[in-house]
């Protein structure tokens, strides 16, 4: 390639970029506070504003959806499910958590207290606030 061709191509590219930059600045002229407030009020009346905290389209759609049941209907359904034993324990979402919660203890409270006291005497308990098992 010749030096003239490279120089011409570089100048053409620089001119195109400068033109785009100037056009973008002209299109984004500052808007006054009154204009911005009027635009926001118009969008609010048209229902185009997202609810506070909604950032995704799905969030906006969920927030705009009206409930199909009353609070009393939902409470009655929950009470029926509770009586039928269909509600999961609070906080337990894993099968292992549910199985652990349903399992009966193998030691009495007195046995656990005695084991803890023995471990304390041997110095096997973790110091308060340090957590984790000791070696």
């Amino acid at each position: 390639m010749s030096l003239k061709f490279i120089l011409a191509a570089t100048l053409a590219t620089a001119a195109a970029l400068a033109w785009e930059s100037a056009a973008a600045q002209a299109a984004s002229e500052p808007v006054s506070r009154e204009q911005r407030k009027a635009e926001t009020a118009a969008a609010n009346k048209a229902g185009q504003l997202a609810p506070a905290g909604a950032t995704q389209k799905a969030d906006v759609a969920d927030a705009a959806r009206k409930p199909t049941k009353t609070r009393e209907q939902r409470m009655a359904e929950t009470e029926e499910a509770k009586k039928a034993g269909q509600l999961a324990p609070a906080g337990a979402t894993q099968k292992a958590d549910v199985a652990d919660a349903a399992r009966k203890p193998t030691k009495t409270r007195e046995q656990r207290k005695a084991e803890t006291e023995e471990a304390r005497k041997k110095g096997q308990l973790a110091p308060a606030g340090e957590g984790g098992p000791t070696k």
Side-chain angles (χ1 to χ4, degrees), residues 8-22:
T10 305
L11 289 174
T13 304
L17 292 175
W19 178 259
E20 288 179 17
S21 176

Side-chain angles (χ1 to χ4, degrees), residues 28-116:
S28 63
E29 293 180 15
V31 179
S32 71
R33 185 167 192 257
E34 290 75 25
Q35 290 172 328
R36 180 70 66 206
K37 287 176 75 174
E39 290 174 4
T40 305
N44 189 23
K45 284 184 181 178
Q48 297 173 341
L49 293 182
T55 58
Q56 302 293 326
K57 289 182 180 180
D59 293 340
V60 174
D62 287 345
R65 191 180 70 224
K66 300 289 184 210
T68 58
K69 298 178 184 178
T70 65
R71 182 173 189 262
E72 289 76 23
Q73 289 172 329
R74 287 185 317 218
M75 289 177 67
E77 286 179 3
T78 304
E79 190 62 34
E80 288 175 17
K82 181 180 175 183
K83 288 180 182 177
Q86 297 173 341
L87 295 181
T93 57
Q94 303 286 326
K95 290 181 180 180
D97 292 341
V98 174
D100 285 345
R103 192 177 63 219
K104 299 288 183 198
T106 58
K107 299 178 184 177
T108 65
R109 183 169 190 257
E110 290 75 23
Q111 289 172 327
R112 288 192 315 270
K113 286 179 79 172
E115 287 177 2
T116 303

Side-chain angles (χ1 to χ4, degrees), residues 112-125:
R112 288 192 315 270
K113 286 179 79 172
E115 287 177 2
T116 303
E117 183 62 26
E118 184 179 332
R120 186 189 64 77
K121 288 180 181 176
K122 291 181 179 179
Q124 295 174 338
L125 296 181

